[in-house]
């Protein structure tokens, strides 16, 4: 199943590139009612992204994976982080882990956004200091 999903993700990415789309969002496949293995989901999603990236796309430069539940996000993040670290250590055995990224938060008002952002910023400060 995961090999078929990986192929489907690559096919969707290629179609988006063909259509000259600049961004595309995917759900975290297999994490909803199917209750799939989150590590396997992270692996095949990353494999698909790597395969697509190896084709040197010109248009599709922003690809997102949509996650609705915190435990799914954490499991996918851990699976992707482990894969990334493993790949980096293959190229450089002395690789040290460093992380950075973007977070998009949406809300109905600036007050709601501020309430959401403050605990995230505090958590990030604790995590990365």
């Amino acid at each position: 199943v995961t090999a078929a999903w990986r192929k489907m993700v690559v096919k969707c990415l290629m179609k988006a590139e063909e259509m000259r789309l600049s961004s595309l969002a995917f759900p975290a496949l297999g994490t909803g009612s199917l209750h799939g293995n989150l590590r396997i989901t992270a692996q095949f999603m990353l494999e698909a992204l790597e395969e697509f990236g190896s084709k040197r796309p010109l248009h599709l430069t922003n690809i997102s994976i949509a996650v609705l539940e915190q435990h799914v996000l954490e499991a996918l993040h851990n699976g992707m982080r482990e894969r990334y670290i493993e790949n980096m250590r293959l190229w450089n055995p002395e690789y040290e882990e460093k992380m950075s990224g973007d977070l998009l938060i949406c809300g109905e008002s600036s007050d709601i956004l501020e309430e959401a952002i403050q605990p995230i910023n505090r958590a990030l400060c604790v995590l990365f200091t």
Side-chain angles (χ1 to χ4, degrees):
V1 171
T2 57
W5 279 6
R6 183 183 55 76
K7 283 183 176 183
M8 180 188 63
V9 170
V10 172
K11 190 174 180 177
C12 289
L13 293 168
M14 294 303 294
K15 183 65 175 177
E17 175 68 15
E18 180 185 308
M19 295 172 65
R20 298 178 182 260
L21 299 178
S22 62
S23 64
L24 185 67
F26 278 98
L29 298 172
T31 62
S33 60
L34 295 177
H35 304 290
N37 183 310
L38 300 177
R39 286 180 179 261
I40 292 173
T41 294
Q43 180 178 343
F44 84 76
M45 296 286 294
L46 270 181
E47 287 173 357
L49 293 172
E50 289 169 359
E51 182 178 334
F52 176 71
S54 71
K55 299 177 186 311
R56 308 273 190 228
L58 298 174
H59 306 286
L60 186 58
T61 57
N62 185 0
I63 302 168
S64 300
I65 299 174
V67 177
L68 299 178
E69 296 174 335
Q70 182 65 31
H71 77 280
V72 173
L73 177 63
E74 291 169 2
L76 289 174
H77 175 79
N78 288 338
M80 290 179 175
R81 188 174 133 263
E82 289 170 10
R83 181 175 171 81
Y84 177 79
I85 291 169
E86 180 182 314
N87 285 343
M88 292 306 295
R89 287 196 175 134
L90 289 175
W91 293 101
N92 179 5
E94 296 176 17
Y95 169 78
E96 290 184 28
E97 180 182 4
K98 295 175 185 146
M99 296 174 60
S100 100
D102 295 321
L103 178 64
L104 174 64
I105 302 173
C106 302
E108 295 177 10
S109 71
S110 59
D111 292 337
I112 291 173
L113 290 175
E114 276 304 314
E115 278 185 51
I117 290 169
Q118 288 173 3
I120 292 169
N121 284 338
R122 282 193 298 273
L124 289 173
C125 287
V126 169
L127 184 64
F128 293 111
T129 56

